[in-house]
Amino acid sequence: MKRIAVITGDGIGREIVPEAVRVLEAVEVELDYVYIDAGEGAFKKTGSAISAEAIKTMKGCDAILKGPTTTPLGGGFRSIAVTLRQELDMFANVRPAKSYGKKYGAVHDNVDIVIVRENTEGLYCGIEIDESDDVKKSVLLATRNGCERIVSYAFEYAKKNNRKKVTAVHKANILKKTGGLFSSVAKEISSGYPGIEFDEKLVDACAMLMAKEPQKFDVIVTTNLFGDILSDLALGLTGSIGLGASANVGEKYAMFEAVHGSASDIAGKGIANPASIILSSAMMLDHIGLEGGSRIRNAVEKCLKEGKKLTPDLGGGATTTEFTDYVISKL
Ligand code: ATP
């Protein structure tokens, strides 16, 4: 039986993660769940946001299902997601954004973009320098190996999922060293995939075009910070960040998590949209080679298109549990 490490997390994580587990149980996949305490709650209890023991346990599992965890602004502990992506070398962050119609809050119809974000380098590499009280530096790291593996992952993803185009997004006109390396590696690797269209965009122009004509994008491959920002933009176009599912994949380990954070403004109200983590769990089943992922995606898609039991972020009046019950009824 496959073992899944489950991080319930903070804020709305405590409300939406159990709903994903309920859906997994409803598709009758046999999974052994190992619950891991991590995040702000764990930090307040134990003084550590995630223990070395917890990371060891996760390494012994087949996948990790992670709810959002709160990260303090400025000082305090480091983001759990960033720590795990780096410790477990999960270099590729796959973030699909699909719209289900303007009626339910989507800004544009027919948005179907997959953002492949580099997860371990860029400005998130963790190299920060205190020059003085008034001068701080954060290092933007780019390595050939890091660029090659993320761009190759994006092209392989496109090939496997019958996607037609890959757009490399960077800022190589200003960040001539790091962006330049990313751009030249992307060009090199694209030549090995003649069947897939390739283009490049500067990140600012990309953001503008995504807002105006998102249908022009298919797969986007980009560096860590740009990927973080553009995936929120893409989800905004689909209507709600509550639809944002994601996979973090490396050679050995994989973690599936909602794109959004712990949303303290709506936590405890029972109105968070659980679609993000339910769709993440579907990606997890595909990854570990179990049936059920397509059934879950189809059921969520039916509910979103029907629009009868939507949570308030999509303009409805349903609770988190009512939405999940409706998804389960459509499986
Ligand atoms: P964190 O500090 O943990 O990153 P945040 O509150 O800064 O979290 P997000 O949680 O990512 O940022 O999202 C911003 C807003 O989007 C939230 O305040 C909330 O109103 C809304 N939101 C996020 N996730 C959901 C969801 N699953 N369902 C409904 N609304 C959501």
Side-chain angles (χ1 to χ4, degrees):
M1 195 188 305
K2 302 277 186 191
R3 286 183 90 204
I4 307 299
V6 182
I7 298 176
T8 308
D10 301 307
I12 59 169
R14 298 194 198 104
E15 296 157 52
I16 62 173
V17 173
E19 301 293 24
V21 172
R22 221 151 56 82
V23 173
L24 287 169
E25 284 170 352
V27 288
E28 292 176 348
V29 276
E30 283 209 29
L31 296 169
D32 179 17
Y33 299 102
V34 183
Y35 284 86
I36 305 277
D37 208 7
E40 193 181 49
F43 184 77
K44 282 182 182 158
K45 259 190 271 162
T46 66
S48 160
I50 189 158
S51 66
E53 191 58 31
I55 295 181
K56 200 169 150 210
T57 304
M58 281 187 264
K59 286 183 174 171
C61 290
D62 295 285
I64 303 161
L65 183 65
K66 179 188 165 295
T69 45
T70 304
T71 308
L73 298 181
F77 60 87
R78 197 160 183 234
S79 150
I80 298 297
V82 174
T83 303
L84 290 176
R85 288 168 192 157
Q86 288 180 353
E87 285 263 343
L88 277 61
D89 199 27
M90 297 180 287
F91 64 89
N93 191 338
V94 181
R95 298 180 154 196
K98 193 168 172 183
S99 68
Y100 297 91
K102 283 190 186 167
K103 202 165 144 201
Y104 304 112
V107 180
H108 289 274
D109 282 327
N110 306 320
V111 177
D112 188 4
I113 303 173
V114 176
I115 297 187
V116 178
R117 163 191 178 189
E118 202 292 319
N119 242 354
T120 56
E121 302 191 336
L123 269 170
Y124 286 61
C125 67
I127 309 172
E128 296 203 295
I129 302 154
D130 264 315
E131 289 274 298
S132 70
D133 280 351
D134 300 324
V135 180
K136 315 285 177 192
K137 290 181 180 168
S138 300
V139 172
L140 195 172
L141 178 73
T143 67
R144 177 168 290 277
N145 179 49
C147 296
E148 277 175 0
R149 65 182 185 170
I150 195 65
V151 176
S152 299
Y153 188 94
F155 273 97
E156 282 300 314
Y157 178 93
K159 199 166 130 188
K160 220 160 102 195
N161 293 280
N162 205 18
R163 295 272 174 167
K164 307 282 177 255
K165 181 169 142 187
V166 172
T167 303
V169 177
H170 51 69
K171 188 75 182 167
N173 57 339
I174 306 297
L175 302 169
K176 290 187 191 293
K177 305 273 180 219
T178 52
L181 180 61
F182 185 82
S183 166
S184 68
V185 165
K187 275 194 204 88
E188 266 164 48
I189 289 176
S190 71
S191 64
Y193 294 85
I196 298 171
E197 192 189 333
F198 169 70
D199 68 353
E200 293 182 78
K201 291 259 174 301
L202 295 175
V203 64
D204 43 352
C206 175
M208 187 273 292
L209 196 61
M210 270 174 81
K212 270 183 90 168
E213 291 178 280
Q215 300 82 359
K216 292 217 160 132
F217 293 94
D218 192 341
V219 173
I220 289 177
V221 62
T222 188
T223 52
N224 210 333
L225 179 64
F226 297 157
D228 190 23
I229 299 168
L230 292 180
S231 51
D232 270 28
L233 169 58
L235 288 167
L237 296 172
T238 69
S240 172
I241 197 168
L243 299 175
S246 76
N248 298 269
V249 183
E251 296 288 335
K252 283 202 202 151
Y253 307 107
M255 174 169 81
F256 301 82
E257 61 176 340
V259 165
H260 56 78
S262 52
S264 54
D265 56 334
I266 55 165
K269 295 184 178 161
I271 54 164
N273 188 344
S276 55
I277 193 81
I278 293 173
L279 291 169
S280 302
S281 71
M283 293 172 92
M284 179 181 81
L285 292 183
D286 296 345
H287 184 84
I288 59 177
L290 293 181
E291 304 269 310
S294 301
R295 274 179 73 200
I296 295 176
R297 267 187 299 275
N298 290 340
V300 170
E301 202 157 312
K302 266 188 211 155
C303 295
L304 295 173
K305 281 185 178 156
E306 256 182 37
K308 281 189 196 151
K309 295 266 175 169
L310 298 177
T311 43
D313 55 311
L314 291 173
T319 63
T320 307
T321 305
E322 283 166 350
F323 177 81
T324 312
D325 286 343
Y326 202 53
V327 170
I328 291 172
S329 77
K330 298 283 179 194
L331 282 169

